[in-house]
């Protein structure tokens, strides 16, 4: 049975449908949206061969003309050059402002295709069809779109909300184990900042229920703070300040995003224990859940602390040089602290060298 | 004495300041905006050497750190590649989401720098400092930003309203005559669709008054239809459907934008006479005003009607293949008509071959 979560954003509200086998029903789900009769499915060289045909068939059965545009799989496609090229290919197909885009793939495709939708003809509608755990629970909801600059990840982009999100949990079954597991870093994060009970059902195997609960959490936060202005949405960055810095310092490709976030969550829990009163048991529970999904919680010597700190200072979240760090005083509750110093963070990175279970 | 026009867009409202010698006061004008302490002035190789220093000095005197980034003058800079490069240069300067951009130049710079502001860190504030007649009366107000695709002009972009517009009419005195004159095509258009009396004061020489009245007209329309959804803003396209097609068919560089629009206005007045009851005297007045500014109202044989029609069919305003054409039944009033056929338009283009004063 399919689940439906509403993202409430006034005139930009949209539904997220979650269920097993929804891909073929995409045309039916789109019918009430009155979204236009022509679209381009933007996908990558890994996902398009597996799911492109089903998506195209589902759309065509509802009378929607759908062409597939493929880009090479991987983070390198998330660039201004590829976005520009996609715009030219859309023009060559004769698609105008009455057309829409379907983003079929993981986070890279969602961010890239969403950005193309944001800038093509100054903005056309798009539909997210996330095919990874990470994209289903996180990046496909919230309207953050963008590409990477040479100077850093996600530094070029736009807020552009999708018109619909279709999360088919059947697509998660073809994910390599490592990519499946990395998605649980964001799920565990959602549990830590917003819903302690979520941490207890991770191994239930009920993917639609788990995904739907995560989408609810994300949707509630996005609805209350669409453009990251009130600070609420910033709570979703729990574990991300240090996680992103490790990801950047390691160089793209060494860690999957979720793996770097797992390290960031471990460090942020340690900081929360020291600075915000998080109990050791709670911190150990988060670390145990991360480990249960084979996610790293310990940092090897090949990535130096100074490299991590250099990357961290370049982070776009450090607007005006001010550090705003998310701490979790107890599981299910998060707060934004201005009291975490760079020195605290450096210590937390250093602490990741020790076996994760025995931090002092 | 400086004039001030308000563009009323709720939380995105902003002021347009118009006056002789305002450039040096830009820092003072920005002070109440609380817009941040660091900016980049984006300008081009023609304008930066003349006005870059004054702008930078004006900003620094108000304690705002301002670096100048220059791109080559001309339409070729309005590309995704240049926008991408500017983002990298902003990153290299260490500017983050607390910074803002100053667009110093004509329409190309306003569109390009505004687009960079729209996508850098998913959107940072920007200030328009238009230095051409065209940019002061048209492109600097309204929040349309963007770059050209290989497949057509302005097809990639975003709506992103400036925080402030500073129009220094002294900068218009250094414009080459042809570029000064082309701006009057948009001014005459504003008169034709919204304010007949404006057509009588064009040769008064009171530039601040003329510019301010045009900004008022544009601001009123933009405030009522920010994203081109109600059809009101589309009235600003009077003369532009055929004008753009001629501009595209001629190849960039042959006509200045305003010159192509002058031809488009002539054709649209002829169509208005035939299909909407515009009087011959009114039509002749518009043509005479265009001619008074040395703007073309007759099309030579080197640009074929079929080339114009091909370009026209590719126009982004033809969403879903539907022609929506602006007609002026009497000077000062415009309407959007769905009754103008491609054949009518073709006839109007053909008619531009005849001496402009003797159309039947």
């Amino acid at each position: 049975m399919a689940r439906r979560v509403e993202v409430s954003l006034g005139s930009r509200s949209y539904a997220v449908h979650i269920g097993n086998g929804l891909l073929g029903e995409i045309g039916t789900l789109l019918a009430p949206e009155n979204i236009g009769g022509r679209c381009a499915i933007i996908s990558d060289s890994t996902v398009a061969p597996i799911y492109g045909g089903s998506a195209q068939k589902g759309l065509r059965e509802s009378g929607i003309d759908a062409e597939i545009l493929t880009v090479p799989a991987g983070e390198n496609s998330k660039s201004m050059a590829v976005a520009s090229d996609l715009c030219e290919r859309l023009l060559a197909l004769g698609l105008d402002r009455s057309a829409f885009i379907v983003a079929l793939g993981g986070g890279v495709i969602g961010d890239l295709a969403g950005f193309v939708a944001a800038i093509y003809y100054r903005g056309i509608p798009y539909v997210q069809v996330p095919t990874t755990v990470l994209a289903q629970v996180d990046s496909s909801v919230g309207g953050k779109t963008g590409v990477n600059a040479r100077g850093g990840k996600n530094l070029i982009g736009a807020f552009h909300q999708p018109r619909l999100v279709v999360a088919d949990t059947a697509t998660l079954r073809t994910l390599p184990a490592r990519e499946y597991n990395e998605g649980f870093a964001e799920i565990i994060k959602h549990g830590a900042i917003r819903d302690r009970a979520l941490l207890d059902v991770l191994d239930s195997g009920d993917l639609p229920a788990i995904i739907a609960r995560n989408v609810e959490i994300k949707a509630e936060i996005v609805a209350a703070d669409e453009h990251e202005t009130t600070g609420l949405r910033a709570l979703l960055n729990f574990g991300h300040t240090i996680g992103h810095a490790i990801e950047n310092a390691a160089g793209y490709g060494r860690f999957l995003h979720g793996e770097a976030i797992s390290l960031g969550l471990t460090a942020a829990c340690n900081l929360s224990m020291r600075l915000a009163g998080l109990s050791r048991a709670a911190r150990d529970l988060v670390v145990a859940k991360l480990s249960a999904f084979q996610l790293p919680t310990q940092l090897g010597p090949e990535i130096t602390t100074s490299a991590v700190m250099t990357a961290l200072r370049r982070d776009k979240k450090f607007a005006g040089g001010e550090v705003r760090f998310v701490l979790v005083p107890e599981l299910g509750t998060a707060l934004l602290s201005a009291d975490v110093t760079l020195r605290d963070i450096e210590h937390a990175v250093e602490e990741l060298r020790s076996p994760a279970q025995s931090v002092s």
Side-chain angles (χ1 to χ4, degrees), chain A residues 64-140:
Chain A
I64 296 168
D65 179 31
E67 301 289 337
I68 302 177
L69 297 180
T70 303
V71 300
E75 189 83 21
N76 283 344
S77 284
K78 221 171 113 175
S79 72
M80 282 285 271
V82 173
S84 178
D85 183 56
L86 282 169
C87 288
E88 301 292 354
R89 289 161 75 185
L90 292 169
L91 285 170
L93 287 175
L95 296 182
D96 62 20
R97 63 169 50 150
S98 67
F100 67 97
I101 283 171
V102 175
L104 175 68
V108 165
I109 286 297
D111 288 2
L112 171 68
F115 181 59
V116 168
I119 63 174
Y120 190 65
Y121 279 82
R122 293 196 196 93
I124 63 172
Y126 74 113
V127 177
Q128 290 277 20
V129 186
T131 60
T132 65
V133 177
L134 206 53
Q136 291 193 356
V137 301
D138 185 15
S139 57
S140 69

Side-chain angles (χ1 to χ4, degrees), chain A residues 39-200:
Chain A
C39 75
I41 300 167
I42 296 180
S43 191
D44 69 29
S45 51
T46 302
V47 175
I50 316 178
Y51 298 115
S54 305
Q56 193 174 37
K57 185 159 169 283
L59 289 160
R60 288 187 171 166
E61 280 170 3
S62 293
I64 296 168
D65 179 31
E67 301 289 337
I68 302 177
L69 297 180
T70 303
V71 300
E75 189 83 21
N76 283 344
S77 284
K78 221 171 113 175
S79 72
M80 282 285 271
V82 173
S84 178
D85 183 56
L86 282 169
C87 288
E88 301 292 354
R89 289 161 75 185
L90 292 169
L91 285 170
L93 287 175
L95 296 182
D96 62 20
R97 63 169 50 150
S98 67
F100 67 97
I101 283 171
V102 175
L104 175 68
V108 165
I109 286 297
D111 288 2
L112 171 68
F115 181 59
V116 168
I119 63 174
Y120 190 65
Y121 279 82
R122 293 196 196 93
I124 63 172
Y126 74 113
V127 177
Q128 290 277 20
V129 186
T131 60
T132 65
V133 177
L134 206 53
Q136 291 193 356
V137 301
D138 185 15
S139 57
S140 69
V141 174
K144 280 191 184 178
T145 74
V147 297
N148 300 327
R150 285 193 302 278
K153 284 182 75 165
N154 296 318
L155 293 180
I156 300 172
F159 284 99
H160 187 48
Q161 299 292 344
R163 282 282 286 274
L164 189 73
V165 182
V166 179
D168 181 352
T169 51
T171 63
L172 308 180
R173 310 215 177 275
T174 52
L175 285 175
R178 219 179 136 193
E179 276 181 56
Y180 179 85
N181 285 333
E182 71 156 334
F184 281 82
E186 297 289 355
I187 292 175
I188 291 164
K189 178 200 76 181
H190 282 148
I193 65 170
R194 210 72 178 176
D195 183 9
R196 194 213 164 300
L198 176 59
L199 298 176
D200 295 329

